[in-house]
Amino acid sequence: MKKKTLSIVMAGVMALSMTACGSKEAETAAPTEAAAETTAAETKAADEAAADKTEAPAEAAESYTVGICQLVQHEALDAATQGFKDALTEALGDKVTFDEQNAQGDSNTCSTIMNSFVSADVDLILANATPALQAAQAATNEIPVLGTSVTEYGVALGIDGFTGTVGSNISGTSDLAPLDEQAAMLKELFPDAKKVGLLYCSAEANSQYQVDTVKAALEELGYTCEYYAFSDSNDLSTIVTKAASESDVIYAPTDNTVAANTEIVNNICQPAGVPIIAGEEGICKGCGVATLSISYYDLGVGTGKMAAKILTGEADVAQMPIEYAPQFTKKYNKTICDALGVTIPEGYEAIAE
């Protein structure tokens, strides 16, 4: 009887021991499984959050500062700057602030202005005219830069085989008009002329490009062409006087120095009876008889729309091709045409005085 009782007791002890052991293992396993489930849940949540962050567009900044460097004050560049500001203000309202500076025709001042924009870490730079664009190129390769009133970007930036997209932090709009059609305009108005003087500033790369192109077109039309280059406004009067005395007609491209000094040019050429075909409306209004020109205000508006896309993250400046004016208009200066006895055929629009 005692043996049987002892056996029963021992069996009970062993059973309790096994139960306790099993409970301990269960207790140990349970937290491990729970931790694994928690870790998996946290990882999944983190992955979903990262995916949401990647897919969600970046929030637009509350404000932007845009630096504007305009080479010189004259009608065409003024209109381009105003169009740019109007378009960007329409798109962003009071979120955009402009730091507008004028280089007074000095390329060295353009460099100083651009360096100040870089130091201020502006959000975008507008370079109005070729020397301003060249200064911006030298000053930064990080801040987005848009050019306007620039004729040929490959020439301005020293890019061989330019295909239409700069591919760096620079893009913009071009004021290039069909130069062969400007040559054809000269032929239409002055078919009996023999010698054409090409008046331009040698310091402006895009002016050189234009007169070279027009020269080739005019020579194919039977004209003899002569370059009359001046280095800056200081020798403009001397060169214009020489050109007027040796030419039947003068061609002046979209040259900023001529545009800023049309009164000097007109006071020499009109008394000499020498007409000027101009590369753009502002020059024509000041000293020319006719032009095939664009709207510089509209060009500025197009540049402003590009800027809005860049600032809001909608577009990458490096991937934006250069944009061109959508249309060109034949215009004439009635006052100077009447003074010189030049008859304008149908299809020309009088420039508003």
Side-chain angles (χ1 to χ4, degrees):
M1 183 68 179
K2 287 183 179 179
K3 284 185 177 181
K4 186 176 181 181
T5 300
L6 181 59
S7 297
I8 293 172
V9 171
M10 290 298 294
V13 170
M14 291 179 65
L16 288 172
S17 175
M18 291 178 65
T19 301
C21 182
S23 297
K24 187 174 183 181
E25 290 176 355
E27 288 173 1
T28 303
T32 303
E33 292 173 1
E37 291 177 0
T38 302
T39 301
E42 289 175 349
T43 301
K44 182 178 180 182
D47 290 343
E48 290 176 350
D52 290 343
K53 185 176 181 181
T54 301
E55 294 173 2
E59 293 186 6
E62 293 184 1
S63 62
Y64 308 95
T65 300
V66 174
I68 299 175
C69 177
Q70 182 174 315
L71 173 65
V72 66
Q73 184 174 5
H74 65 68
E75 188 170 324
L77 300 191
D78 291 349
T81 293
Q82 191 61 53
F84 174 82
K85 292 167 62 179
D86 288 350
L88 198 48
T89 300
E90 181 178 352
L92 301 177
D94 58 7
K95 289 183 178 181
V96 61
T97 301
F98 299 103
D99 182 355
E100 185 176 350
Q101 299 190 42
N102 194 296
Q104 304 300 324
D106 188 343
S107 59
N108 291 326
T109 304
C110 285
S111 298
T112 301
I113 292 171
M114 291 303 177
N115 289 330
S116 73
F117 290 160
V118 173
S119 296
D121 194 24
V122 299
D123 297 294
L124 183 141
I125 293 172
L126 175 71
N128 192 348
T130 299
L133 181 66
Q134 292 169 330
Q137 181 191 35
T140 180
N141 60 5
E142 296 180 356
I143 297 173
V145 174
L146 290 178
T148 192
S149 313
V150 176
T151 304
E152 219 289 327
Y153 280 72
V155 172
L157 301 176
I159 303 173
D160 294 330
F162 182 62
T163 59
T165 302
V166 177
S168 62
N169 63 317
I170 298 174
S171 187
T173 56
S174 168
D175 62 358
L176 180 63
L179 299 174
D180 57 339
E181 292 183 30
Q182 290 185 350
M185 172 183 286
L186 190 150
K187 179 70 172 179
E188 178 183 32
L189 298 179
F190 306 104
D192 298 327
K194 302 298 181 183
K195 185 174 180 180
V196 177
L198 305 171
L199 179 68
Y200 69 103
C201 179
S202 58
E204 296 189 35
N206 273 315
S207 294
Q208 184 73 61
Y209 169 80
Q210 290 173 82
V211 294
D212 287 345
T213 305
V214 168
K215 180 176 183 288
L218 288 172
E219 287 177 343
E220 287 187 3
L221 295 173
Y223 293 97
T224 299
C225 299
E226 185 70 34
Y227 291 118
Y228 292 93
F230 54 91
S231 57
D232 55 38
S233 59
N234 293 322
D235 61 344
L236 174 62
S237 179
T238 300
I239 299 300
V240 173
T241 300
K242 181 175 175 60
S245 67
E246 299 176 352
S247 308
D248 299 316
V249 183
I250 289 175
Y251 171 77
T254 56
D255 185 282
N256 290 293
T257 308
V258 172
N261 295 278
T262 55
E263 185 177 358
I264 292 174
V265 177
N266 187 56
N267 287 343
I268 295 170
C269 291
Q270 186 173 322
V274 180
I276 297 173
I277 297 295
E280 56 92 8
E281 183 177 339
I283 294 175
C284 189
K285 185 176 181 179
C287 64
V289 294
T291 184
L292 178 65
S293 185
I294 67 170
S295 165
Y296 277 81
Y297 179 83
D298 291 345
L299 193 71
V301 168
T303 318
K305 290 179 178 179
M306 293 174 73
K309 291 179 181 179
I310 293 168
L311 291 173
T312 58
E314 184 180 343
D316 179 2
V317 63
Q319 298 177 6
M320 300 178 83
I322 302 303
E323 296 186 7
Y324 294 82
Q327 63 183 21
F328 308 92
T329 306
K330 285 184 172 182
K331 293 191 174 185
Y332 73 100
N333 184 325
K334 185 178 185 306
T335 301
I336 295 180
C337 284
D338 289 347
L340 297 179
V342 176
T343 301
I344 299 296
E346 294 291 329
Y348 285 72
E349 177 184 322
I351 295 174
E353 296 182 3

